[in-house]
Amino acid sequence: MTKQDIERADRRETILIDGAAVAASLHSELRSAVENLVERGLTPGLAVVLVGNDPASSVYVRNKIRRSVEAGLRSFHHELPSTTSETDLLALIDRLNSADDVDGILVQLPLPSHIDAQKVTSAIDPAKDVDGFHPMNVGKLSLGGEALIPCTPLGCMLLIKGVRSQLAGLNAVIVGRSNIVGKPLAQLLLRENCTVTIAHSRTADLPSVCRRADILVAAAGQPELISGDWVKPGAIVIDVGINRVQREGRQILVGDVAFESARAVAGAITPVPGGVGPMTIACLLRNTIEAACRRHGAASPLRTL
Ligand code: NAD
């Protein structure tokens, strides 16, 4: 996004939600929290496991490792060939579950097709499950317990609450029902007393469902699916989608929302890139610090969310 875009949006009083800036401030808060814990003799550790050489996954993993080192965390990196057997991967997870200096375990998805991702996710110690995908954490989230919360939905909530702190009574529509984004985000919005609708590929008349939303979250993985005329005037629009498309002979990233037309109607909107994306890693590090504190019975230096 150019400076001109921002100025034009400002004139229309649409809030451009700058995820990169929010994430940067969260990173600096996390660095201070880690310093505080290190002084108290606790250095949180994050183990990241990558199986295979999917280029996008390699980039995500590199960024996660770089950010954890910058935050002062102990970083453990396990890069395994795509031929790794499920048994060997489960054995590694077993070792990481028992390692006292590892507080968080992240297995980068997707895994090669011969490995059952659900089995792997369920093998991670729920106390170290910083992705929040273990059935125990999923259950705790839905029951209202103290769960580790999936990073992307947590990032979305921080952005939404940065715009508006009281969400009770608002209509929230989430387009997408995946286990990693749509469903956990629905639970978080319910916690905030929103009236939540989860829409998906079989939803009838999606445009009119979206038009009811005070908070509209797009997580469908469909380039520019949601146009401005699907957006209720003044709505908060959160675009989780990351889609690589060809435009004028080059590859660019677009979200699930047609940004220009939606921005003209929305009250607040995230861009792609620079919206939800940067929040995901910051939330991963936050979860690792939280997990370390809980495992070691240390008071958390982090703000309560
Ligand atoms: P997914 O493929 O697991 O789920 C997509 C969901 O969207 C499904 O529930 C499906 O029913 C729904 N859907 C698909 N087409 C639709 C349509 N035409 N109308 C209505 N609903 C439709 O995807 P996911 O893993 O939840 O990811 C969604 C998007 O978010 C992807 O673009 C992904 O790259 C992105 N993502 C971004 C981050 C981030 O950090 N910013 C993290 C995770 C995922």
Side-chain angles (χ1 to χ4, degrees), residues 29-30 33 36-37 40 42 146 286 289-294 297-304:
E29 195 186 312
L30 297 176
N36 173 295
L37 286 173
R40 286 152 56 193
L42 173 58
E146 199 183 55
R286 194 183 194 285
I289 296 168
E290 203 61 65
C293 293
R294 287 183 202 167
S300 172
L302 297 169
R303 269 183 307 135
T304 319

Side-chain angles (χ1 to χ4, degrees), residues 17 152-157 159-160 167 171-177 181-186 188-189 194 196-200 206 209-221 225-226 230-231 235-241 256-257 268-270 276:
I17 305 173
T152 301
L154 180 56
C156 292
M157 283 309 295
L159 294 180
I160 294 167
L167 308 178
N171 284 329
V173 174
I174 303 162
V175 184
R177 58 176 159 186
V181 187
K183 286 183 201 162
L185 184 56
L188 292 172
L189 287 161
C194 291
V196 181
T197 304
I198 306 182
H200 47 79
L206 185 59
V209 172
C210 291
R211 270 183 222 116
R212 291 204 297 266
D214 303 304
I215 299 170
L216 178 59
V217 182
L225 170 72
I226 293 169
W230 296 22
V231 175
I236 300 173
V237 178
I238 304 291
D239 192 353
V240 183
D256 290 352
V257 175
I269 187 167
T270 57
V276 175

Side-chain angles (χ1 to χ4, degrees), residues 24 28 39 59 64 94 110 115 120 133 151 173 176 186 199-200 204 210-211 236 252 257 274 293 296:
S28 102
E39 277 167 19
V59 172
K64 286 169 185 174
D94 215 31
I115 298 178
V120 171
F133 296 160
C151 305
V173 174
H200 47 79
C210 291
R211 270 183 222 116
I236 300 173
I252 60 161
V257 175
C293 293
H296 296 275

Side-chain angles (χ1 to χ4, degrees), residues 99-111:
D100 197 43
D101 49 0
V102 173
D103 297 291
I105 303 170
L106 178 140
V107 179
Q108 184 67 41
L109 301 177
L111 288 167

